Coordinates of all heavy atoms in Angstrom, one line a residue:
M1 N 145.5 -2.6 65.6 CA 144.6 -1.9 64.7 C 144.4 -0.4 65.1 O 144.7 0.5 64.4 CB 143.3 -2.6 64.7 CG 142.2 -1.9 63.9 SD 142.6 -1.6 62.2 CE 143.0 -3.3 61.7
I2 N 144.0 -0.3 66.4 CA 143.8 1.1 66.9 C 145.1 1.9 66.9 O 145.1 3.1 66.5 CB 143.2 1.0 68.3 CG1 141.9 0.3 68.3 CG2 143.0 2.4 68.9 CD1 140.7 1.0 67.6
E3 N 146.2 1.2 67.3 CA 147.5 1.9 67.4 C 147.9 2.3 66.0 O 148.4 3.4 65.7 CB 148.5 0.9 68.0 CG 149.9 1.6 68.1 CD 150.9 0.7 68.8 OE1 150.5 -0.4 69.2 OE2 152.1 1.0 68.8
G4 N 147.7 1.4 65.0 CA 148.0 1.7 63.6 C 147.2 2.9 63.1 O 147.8 3.7 62.4
L5 N 146.0 2.9 63.4 CA 145.1 4.0 63.0 C 145.6 5.3 63.6 O 145.7 6.4 62.9 CB 143.7 3.8 63.3 CG 142.9 2.7 62.5 CD1 141.6 2.3 63.1 CD2 142.7 3.2 61.1
A6 N 146.0 5.3 64.9 CA 146.4 6.4 65.6 C 147.7 6.9 65.1 O 147.9 8.2 64.9 CB 146.5 6.1 67.1
K7 N 148.6 6.0 64.7 CA 149.9 6.4 64.2 C 149.7 7.1 62.8 O 150.4 8.1 62.5 CB 150.8 5.2 64.0 CG 151.5 4.8 65.2 CD 152.5 3.6 64.9 CE 153.2 3.2 66.2 NZ 154.0 2.0 66.0
H8 N 148.9 6.6 62.0 CA 148.6 7.2 60.7 C 148.0 8.6 60.9 O 148.3 9.5 60.2 CB 147.7 6.3 59.8 CG 148.5 5.2 59.2 ND1 147.9 4.1 58.5 CD2 149.8 5.0 59.0 CE1 148.8 3.3 58.0 NE2 150.0 3.8 58.3
K9 N 147.1 8.7 61.9 CA 146.5 10.0 62.2 C 147.6 11.0 62.5 O 147.6 12.1 62.1 CB 145.5 9.9 63.3 CG 144.8 11.1 63.7 CD 143.5 11.3 62.9 CE 142.6 12.4 63.5 NZ 142.7 13.6 62.8
D10 N 148.5 10.6 63.4 CA 149.6 11.5 63.8 C 150.5 11.8 62.6 O 150.9 12.9 62.4 CB 150.4 10.8 64.9 CG 149.7 10.9 66.2 OD1 148.7 11.6 66.4 OD2 150.1 10.2 67.2
E11 N 150.9 10.8 61.9 CA 151.9 10.9 60.8 C 151.4 11.5 59.5 O 152.1 12.3 58.8 CB 152.6 9.6 60.5 CG 153.3 9.0 61.7 CD 153.7 7.5 61.4 OE1 153.3 6.9 60.4 OE2 154.3 6.9 62.4
L12 N 150.1 11.2 59.2 CA 149.6 11.6 57.9 C 148.4 12.6 58.0 O 148.0 13.1 57.0 CB 149.1 10.3 57.2 CG 150.1 9.2 57.0 CD1 149.4 7.9 56.5 CD2 151.2 9.6 56.0
G13 N 147.9 12.7 59.2 CA 146.8 13.7 59.4 C 145.5 13.0 59.2 O 144.4 13.7 59.2
A14 N 145.5 11.7 58.9 CA 144.2 11.0 58.7 C 144.4 9.5 59.1 O 145.5 9.0 59.0 CB 143.8 11.0 57.2
P15 N 143.3 8.9 59.6 CA 143.5 7.5 60.1 C 143.4 6.5 58.9 O 142.4 5.7 58.8 CB 142.3 7.3 61.0 CG 141.2 8.3 60.5 CD 142.0 9.4 59.9
L16 N 144.4 6.5 58.1 CA 144.5 5.6 57.0 C 144.5 4.1 57.5 O 145.2 3.8 58.4 CB 145.8 5.9 56.2 CG 146.0 5.1 54.9 CD1 145.0 5.5 53.8 CD2 147.5 5.4 54.4
C17 N 143.7 3.3 56.8 CA 143.6 1.9 57.2 C 145.0 1.3 57.3 O 145.7 1.3 56.3 CB 142.7 1.1 56.3 SG 142.4 -0.6 56.8
P18 N 145.4 0.7 58.5 CA 146.7 0.2 58.6 C 146.9 -1.2 58.1 O 148.0 -1.8 58.1 CB 146.9 0.2 60.2 CG 145.5 0.0 60.7 CD 144.6 0.7 59.7
C19 N 145.9 -1.9 57.6 CA 145.9 -3.3 57.2 C 146.2 -3.4 55.7 O 146.2 -4.5 55.2 CB 144.6 -4.0 57.5 SG 144.4 -4.1 59.2
R20 N 146.5 -2.3 55.0 CA 146.7 -2.4 53.6 C 148.1 -1.9 53.2 O 148.7 -1.2 53.9 CB 145.7 -1.6 52.8 CG 144.2 -1.9 53.2 CD 143.3 -1.1 52.4 NE 143.4 -1.3 51.0 CZ 142.8 -2.3 50.3 NH1 142.1 -3.2 51.0 NH2 143.0 -2.5 49.0
H21 N 148.6 -2.4 52.0 CA 149.9 -1.9 51.5 C 149.6 -0.7 50.6 O 148.7 -0.7 49.8 CB 150.6 -3.0 50.8 CG 151.8 -2.4 50.0 ND1 153.0 -2.1 50.7 CD2 152.0 -2.2 48.7 CE1 153.8 -1.6 49.8 NE2 153.3 -1.7 48.6
Y22 N 150.4 0.4 50.8 CA 150.2 1.6 49.9 C 151.6 1.9 49.3 O 152.6 1.9 50.0 CB 149.7 2.8 50.7 CG 148.5 2.5 51.5 CD1 148.6 2.2 52.9 CD2 147.2 2.5 51.0 CE1 147.5 1.9 53.6 CE2 146.1 2.2 51.7 CZ 146.2 2.0 53.1 OH 145.1 1.7 53.8
E23 N 151.6 2.3 48.0 CA 152.8 2.8 47.4 C 153.2 4.1 48.0 O 154.3 4.5 48.1 CB 152.7 2.8 45.9 CG 152.5 1.5 45.2 CD 153.7 0.6 45.4 OE1 154.8 1.1 45.4 OE2 153.5 -0.6 45.4
D24 N 152.1 4.9 48.2 CA 152.3 6.3 48.7 C 151.2 6.6 49.8 O 150.1 6.9 49.5 CB 152.2 7.3 47.5 CG 152.4 8.7 47.9 OD1 152.4 9.1 49.1 OD2 152.7 9.5 47.0
K25 N 151.6 6.4 51.0 CA 150.7 6.6 52.1 C 150.1 8.0 52.2 O 148.9 8.2 52.4 CB 151.3 6.3 53.5 CG 151.6 4.8 53.7 CD 152.1 4.6 55.1 CE 152.2 3.2 55.5 NZ 152.6 3.0 56.9
K26 N 150.9 9.0 52.0 CA 150.4 10.4 52.0 C 149.4 10.7 51.0 O 148.3 11.3 51.2 CB 151.6 11.4 51.8 CG 151.3 12.8 52.0 CD 151.6 13.3 53.4 CE 151.3 14.7 53.6 NZ 150.3 15.0 54.6
A27 N 149.6 10.2 49.7 CA 148.6 10.3 48.7 C 147.3 9.6 49.0 O 146.2 10.1 48.7 CB 149.2 9.8 47.3
E28 N 147.5 8.4 49.6 CA 146.3 7.6 49.9 C 145.5 8.3 51.0 O 144.2 8.3 50.9 CB 146.6 6.2 50.4 CG 147.2 5.3 49.3 CD 146.1 4.8 48.3 OE1 144.9 5.1 48.6 OE2 146.5 4.2 47.3
A29 N 146.1 8.9 52.0 CA 145.4 9.6 53.0 C 144.7 10.8 52.5 O 143.6 11.1 52.8 CB 146.4 10.0 54.1
E30 N 145.3 11.5 51.5 CA 144.7 12.7 50.9 C 143.5 12.2 50.0 O 142.5 12.9 49.9 CB 145.7 13.4 50.1 CG 146.7 14.2 50.9 CD 147.9 14.8 50.2 OE1 147.9 14.7 48.9 OE2 148.8 15.3 50.8
A31 N 143.6 11.1 49.4 CA 142.5 10.6 48.6 C 141.3 10.2 49.4 O 140.2 10.2 49.0 CB 142.9 9.4 47.7
A32 N 141.6 9.8 50.7 CA 140.5 9.5 51.7 C 139.7 8.2 51.6 O 138.9 7.9 52.4 CB 139.6 10.7 51.9
Y33 N 139.9 7.5 50.5 CA 139.1 6.3 50.3 C 139.3 5.3 51.4 O 138.3 4.7 51.9 CB 139.5 5.6 48.9 CG 138.6 4.5 48.6 CD1 137.4 4.7 47.8 CD2 138.9 3.2 49.0 CE1 136.6 3.6 47.4 CE2 138.1 2.1 48.6 CZ 136.9 2.3 47.9 OH 136.1 1.3 47.5
W34 N 140.6 5.1 51.8 CA 140.9 4.2 52.9 C 141.1 4.8 54.3 O 141.6 4.2 55.2 CB 142.1 3.3 52.5 CG 141.9 2.4 51.4 CD1 142.4 2.4 50.2 CD2 141.0 1.2 51.5 NE1 141.8 1.4 49.4 CE2 141.0 0.6 50.2 CE3 140.2 0.7 52.5 CZ2 140.3 -0.5 49.9 CZ3 139.4 -0.5 52.2 CH2 139.5 -1.0 50.9
N35 N 140.6 6.0 54.4 CA 140.6 6.6 55.7 C 139.4 6.1 56.5 O 138.3 6.0 56.1 CB 140.5 8.2 55.7 CG 141.7 8.8 55.1 OD1 142.8 8.2 55.0 ND2 141.7 10.1 54.7
C36 N 139.7 5.6 57.7 CA 138.8 4.9 58.6 C 137.7 5.8 59.1 O 138.0 6.9 59.7 CB 139.5 4.2 59.7 SG 138.5 3.0 60.5
P37 N 136.4 5.5 59.1 CA 135.9 4.3 58.4 C 135.9 4.5 56.9 O 135.4 5.5 56.4 CB 134.4 4.2 58.9 CG 134.1 5.6 59.4 CD 135.4 6.2 59.8
C38 N 136.5 3.5 56.2 CA 136.7 3.6 54.8 C 135.4 3.6 54.0 O 134.3 3.3 54.5 CB 137.6 2.5 54.3 SG 136.9 0.9 54.7
V39 N 135.5 3.8 52.7 CA 134.3 3.9 51.8 C 133.6 2.5 51.8 O 132.4 2.5 51.9 CB 134.7 4.3 50.4 CG1 133.5 4.1 49.4 CG2 135.1 5.8 50.4
P40 N 134.3 1.4 51.7 CA 133.5 0.1 51.7 C 132.8 -0.1 53.1 O 131.7 -0.6 53.1 CB 134.7 -1.0 51.6 CG 135.7 -0.3 50.9 CD 135.7 1.2 51.4
M41 N 133.3 0.4 54.1 CA 132.6 0.3 55.4 C 131.4 1.3 55.4 O 130.3 0.9 55.8 CB 133.6 0.7 56.6 CG 133.0 0.7 57.9 SD 132.3 -0.9 58.4 CE 131.2 -0.4 59.7
R42 N 131.6 2.5 55.0 CA 130.6 3.4 55.0 C 129.4 3.1 54.1 O 128.3 3.2 54.4 CB 131.1 4.8 54.7 CG 131.8 5.5 55.8 CD 132.3 6.9 55.4 NE 133.7 6.7 54.9 CZ 134.3 7.6 54.1 NH1 133.7 8.7 53.7 NH2 135.5 7.4 53.7
E43 N 129.8 2.5 52.9 CA 128.7 2.2 51.9 C 128.1 0.8 52.1 O 127.0 0.6 51.8 CB 129.3 2.4 50.5 CG 129.6 3.8 50.2 CD 130.1 4.0 48.8 OE1 130.3 3.0 48.1 OE2 130.2 5.2 48.4
R44 N 129.0 -0.2 52.5 CA 128.5 -1.6 52.5 C 128.7 -2.3 53.8 O 128.4 -3.5 53.9 CB 129.2 -2.4 51.3 CG 129.0 -1.8 50.0 CD 129.5 -2.7 48.9 NE 131.0 -2.9 49.0 CZ 131.9 -2.0 48.5 NH1 131.5 -0.9 47.9 NH2 133.2 -2.2 48.7
K45 N 129.1 -1.6 54.8 CA 129.4 -2.2 56.1 C 130.4 -3.4 56.0 O 130.3 -4.4 56.6 CB 128.1 -2.8 56.7 CG 127.0 -1.8 56.9 CD 127.3 -0.9 58.1 CE 126.1 0.0 58.4 NZ 126.4 1.4 58.2
E46 N 131.4 -3.1 55.1 CA 132.5 -4.1 54.9 C 133.8 -3.6 55.5 O 134.4 -2.7 55.0 CB 132.7 -4.4 53.4 CG 131.5 -5.1 52.8 CD 131.7 -5.3 51.3 OE1 132.8 -4.9 50.7 OE2 130.7 -5.7 50.6
C47 N 134.2 -4.2 56.6 CA 135.5 -3.9 57.2 C 136.4 -5.1 57.2 O 136.2 -6.0 58.0 CB 135.3 -3.4 58.7 SG 136.8 -3.2 59.6
H48 N 137.4 -5.1 56.3 CA 138.2 -6.3 56.1 C 139.1 -6.5 57.4 O 139.6 -7.6 57.6 CB 139.0 -6.3 54.9 CG 140.0 -5.2 54.8 ND1 139.8 -4.0 54.3 CD2 141.3 -5.1 55.3 CE1 140.8 -3.2 54.4 NE2 141.8 -3.9 55.0
C49 N 139.3 -5.5 58.2 CA 140.2 -5.6 59.4 C 139.4 -6.2 60.6 O 140.0 -6.5 61.6 CB 140.7 -4.2 59.8 SG 141.6 -3.4 58.5
M50 N 138.1 -6.3 60.5 CA 137.2 -6.7 61.5 C 137.2 -5.8 62.7 O 136.9 -6.3 63.9 CB 137.6 -8.2 61.9 CG 137.4 -9.1 60.8 SD 137.7 -10.8 61.2 CE 136.2 -11.2 62.1
L51 N 137.6 -4.6 62.5 CA 137.4 -3.6 63.6 C 135.9 -3.3 63.8 O 135.5 -3.2 65.0 CB 138.1 -2.3 63.2 CG 138.1 -1.1 64.2 CD1 138.7 -1.5 65.6 CD2 138.7 0.1 63.7
F52 N 135.2 -3.3 62.7 CA 133.7 -3.1 62.8 C 133.1 -4.4 62.4 O 133.5 -4.9 61.3 CB 133.3 -2.0 61.9 CG 133.8 -0.6 62.3 CD1 134.9 -0.1 61.6 CD2 133.3 0.1 63.3 CE1 135.4 1.1 61.9 CE2 133.8 1.4 63.6 CZ 134.9 1.9 62.9
L53 N 132.2 -4.9 63.1 CA 131.5 -6.1 62.8 C 130.0 -5.9 62.8 O 129.5 -5.2 63.7 CB 131.8 -7.2 63.8 CG 133.3 -7.6 63.9 CD1 133.5 -8.6 65.1 CD2 133.7 -8.3 62.6
T54 N 129.3 -6.5 62.0 CA 127.8 -6.5 62.0 C 127.3 -7.4 63.1 O 128.0 -8.4 63.4 CB 127.2 -6.9 60.7 OG1 127.7 -8.2 60.3 CG2 127.5 -5.9 59.6
P55 N 126.2 -7.2 63.7 CA 125.7 -8.0 64.9 C 125.7 -9.5 64.6 O 125.8 -10.3 65.4 CB 124.4 -7.4 65.2 CG 124.4 -6.1 64.7 CD 125.3 -6.1 63.5
D56 N 125.4 -9.8 63.3 CA 125.3 -11.3 62.9 C 126.6 -12.0 62.7 O 126.7 -13.2 62.4 CB 124.4 -11.4 61.7 CG 125.0 -10.7 60.5 OD1 125.7 -9.7 60.7 OD2 124.7 -11.1 59.4
N57 N 127.7 -11.2 62.8 CA 129.0 -11.8 62.6 C 129.4 -12.7 63.8 O 129.2 -12.4 65.0 CB 130.1 -10.7 62.5 CG 131.4 -11.3 62.1 OD1 132.1 -12.0 62.8 ND2 131.9 -10.9 60.9
D58 N 130.0 -13.9 63.5 CA 130.3 -14.9 64.6 C 131.3 -14.3 65.6 O 131.4 -14.7 66.7 CB 130.9 -16.1 64.0 CG 129.8 -17.0 63.3 OD1 128.6 -16.8 63.6 OD2 130.2 -17.9 62.5
F59 N 132.1 -13.3 65.2 CA 133.1 -12.7 66.1 C 132.6 -11.5 66.8 O 133.3 -10.9 67.6 CB 134.4 -12.4 65.3 CG 135.1 -13.6 64.7 CD1 134.9 -13.9 63.4 CD2 135.9 -14.3 65.5 CE1 135.5 -15.1 62.9 CE2 136.5 -15.5 65.0 CZ 136.3 -15.8 63.7
A60 N 131.4 -11.0 66.5 CA 130.8 -9.9 67.2 C 130.6 -10.1 68.7 O 130.1 -11.2 69.0 CB 129.5 -9.4 66.5
G61 N 131.0 -9.2 69.5 CA 130.8 -9.4 71.0 C 129.5 -8.8 71.4 O 128.8 -8.2 70.6
D62 N 129.2 -9.0 72.6 CA 127.9 -8.5 73.2 C 128.1 -7.4 74.2 O 127.2 -6.9 74.8 CB 127.0 -9.6 73.8 CG 127.8 -10.3 74.9 OD1 128.9 -10.0 75.2 OD2 127.1 -11.2 75.6
K63 N 129.4 -6.9 74.3 CA 129.7 -5.8 75.2 C 130.3 -4.6 74.4 O 131.0 -4.8 73.5 CB 130.7 -6.3 76.3 CG 130.2 -7.4 77.1 CD 131.3 -7.9 78.1 CE 130.8 -9.1 78.9 NZ 131.9 -9.8 79.6
Q64 N 130.0 -3.5 75.0 CA 130.6 -2.2 74.3 C 131.6 -1.6 75.2 O 132.1 -0.5 74.9 CB 129.4 -1.3 74.0 CG 128.5 -1.8 72.9 CD 129.2 -1.8 71.6 OE1 129.8 -0.8 71.2 NE2 129.1 -2.9 70.9
E65 N 131.9 -2.2 76.4 CA 132.8 -1.5 77.3 C 134.0 -2.4 77.6 O 133.9 -3.7 77.5 CB 132.1 -1.2 78.6 CG 131.0 -0.2 78.4 CD 130.3 0.1 79.7 OE1 130.8 -0.3 80.8 OE2 129.3 0.8 79.7
I66 N 135.2 -1.8 77.9 CA 136.3 -2.6 78.2 C 137.0 -1.8 79.4 O 137.1 -0.6 79.4 CB 137.3 -2.8 77.0 CG1 138.5 -3.7 77.4 CG2 137.8 -1.4 76.5 CD1 139.3 -4.1 76.2
S67 N 137.5 -2.6 80.4 CA 138.1 -1.9 81.5 C 139.5 -1.5 81.2 O 140.2 -2.1 80.3 CB 138.1 -2.8 82.7 OG 139.0 -3.9 82.5
I68 N 140.1 -0.6 82.0 CA 141.5 -0.2 81.8 C 142.4 -1.4 82.1 O 143.4 -1.5 81.5 CB 141.8 1.1 82.6 CG1 143.2 1.6 82.3 CG2 141.7 0.8 84.1 CD1 143.2 2.2 80.9
E69 N 142.0 -2.2 83.1 CA 142.8 -3.4 83.4 C 142.9 -4.3 82.2 O 143.9 -4.9 81.9 CB 142.2 -4.1 84.6 CG 142.3 -3.3 85.9 CD 141.3 -2.2 86.1 OE1 140.2 -2.2 85.3 OE2 141.5 -1.3 86.9
Q70 N 141.8 -4.5 81.5 CA 141.8 -5.4 80.3 C 142.7 -4.8 79.2 O 143.5 -5.5 78.6 CB 140.4 -5.6 79.8 CG 139.5 -6.4 80.6 CD 138.1 -6.4 80.1 OE1 137.4 -5.4 80.1 NE2 137.6 -7.6 79.6
I71 N 142.7 -3.5 79.1 CA 143.5 -2.9 78.0 C 145.0 -3.0 78.4 O 145.8 -3.4 77.6 CB 143.1 -1.4 77.9 CG1 141.7 -1.3 77.3 CG2 144.1 -0.6 77.0 CD1 141.1 0.1 77.4
R72 N 145.3 -2.7 79.7 CA 146.7 -2.8 80.2 C 147.2 -4.3 80.0 O 148.4 -4.5 79.7 CB 146.8 -2.4 81.6 CG 146.6 -0.9 81.8 CD 147.8 -0.2 82.2 NE 147.8 1.2 81.9 CZ 147.2 2.1 82.7 NH1 146.6 1.7 83.8 NH2 147.2 3.4 82.4
A73 N 146.4 -5.2 80.3 CA 146.8 -6.6 80.3 C 147.2 -7.0 78.8 O 148.1 -7.8 78.6 CB 145.7 -7.5 80.7
V74 N 146.6 -6.4 77.9 CA 146.9 -6.7 76.5 C 148.0 -5.9 75.9 O 148.8 -6.3 75.2 CB 145.6 -6.6 75.6 CG1 145.9 -6.7 74.1 CG2 144.6 -7.5 76.0
T75 N 148.1 -4.6 76.3 CA 149.0 -3.7 75.7 C 150.4 -3.6 76.5 O 151.3 -3.1 75.9 CB 148.4 -2.3 75.6 OG1 148.1 -1.8 76.9 CG2 147.2 -2.2 74.7
N76 N 150.5 -4.0 77.7 CA 151.7 -3.9 78.4 C 152.6 -5.2 78.3 O 153.3 -5.5 79.2 CB 151.4 -3.6 79.9 CG 151.1 -2.2 80.1 OD1 151.1 -1.4 79.2 ND2 150.7 -1.9 81.4
Q77 N 152.5 -5.8 77.2 CA 153.2 -7.1 77.1 C 154.6 -6.9 76.5 O 155.4 -7.9 76.5 CB 152.4 -8.1 76.3 CG 151.1 -8.4 76.9 CD 150.3 -9.4 76.1 OE1 150.6 -9.7 75.0 NE2 149.1 -9.8 76.6
Y78 N 154.9 -5.8 76.0 CA 156.2 -5.7 75.3 C 157.1 -4.6 75.9 O 156.7 -3.8 76.6 CB 156.0 -5.3 73.8 CG 155.1 -6.3 73.1 CD1 153.7 -6.0 72.9 CD2 155.5 -7.5 72.8 CE1 152.9 -6.9 72.3 CE2 154.7 -8.4 72.1 CZ 153.4 -8.1 71.9 OH 152.6 -9.0 71.3
Ligands
SF4_1 S1 136.6 0.4 58.4 FE1 137.9 -1.4 58.7 S2 138.7 -1.8 56.6 FE2 137.9 0.3 56.7 S3 139.6 1.6 57.2 FE3 138.6 1.1 59.1 S4 139.7 -0.6 59.9 FE4 140.2 -0.5 57.7

């Protein structure tokens, strides 16, 4: 998710949501509706990607920090 957002930021100049299909990514990035945090997230706290979760969501964690070792363990697999 984060990598997809970062790639779109690099390629399109905006963090277009990576979980959706677009006919024209450049036009969508310029329209800004699905630029993260997207309009549904900003207006209704709805993130279909589950990058953002409300505290009452069953998948919401109770920590806000992650160690570099944890990140490396997940990202150095390929
Ligand atoms: S808030 Fe969630 S659904 Fe909206 S653009 Fe970001 S990752 Fe995608």
Side-chain angles (χ1 to χ4, degrees):
M1 171 61 55
I2 300 293
E3 183 179 355
L5 287 168
K7 279 185 180 172
H8 280 168
K9 179 90 165 103
D10 285 346
E11 294 167 1
L12 306 167
L16 185 66
C17 188
C19 295
R20 305 182 62 82
H21 171 73
Y22 309 99
E23 294 296 328
D24 185 338
K25 285 187 175 185
K26 186 93 179 123
E28 289 287 353
E30 288 171 4
Y33 186 91
W34 289 113
N35 290 346
C36 193
C38 60
V39 171
M41 176 63 199
R42 281 178 270 159
E43 292 186 350
R44 300 186 299 275
K45 304 280 186 253
E46 293 175 5
C47 171
H48 64 267
C49 303
M50 299 183 76
L51 179 61
F52 298 99
L53 298 171
T54 54
D56 61 332
N57 188 296
D58 288 342
F59 294 99
D62 59 356
K63 297 177 184 164
Q64 291 292 311
E65 295 180 10
I66 185 170
S67 71
I68 191 67
E69 291 78 18
Q70 288 173 294
I71 294 171
R72 290 251 162 79
V74 174
T75 58
N76 282 356
Q77 296 179 358
Y78 305 102

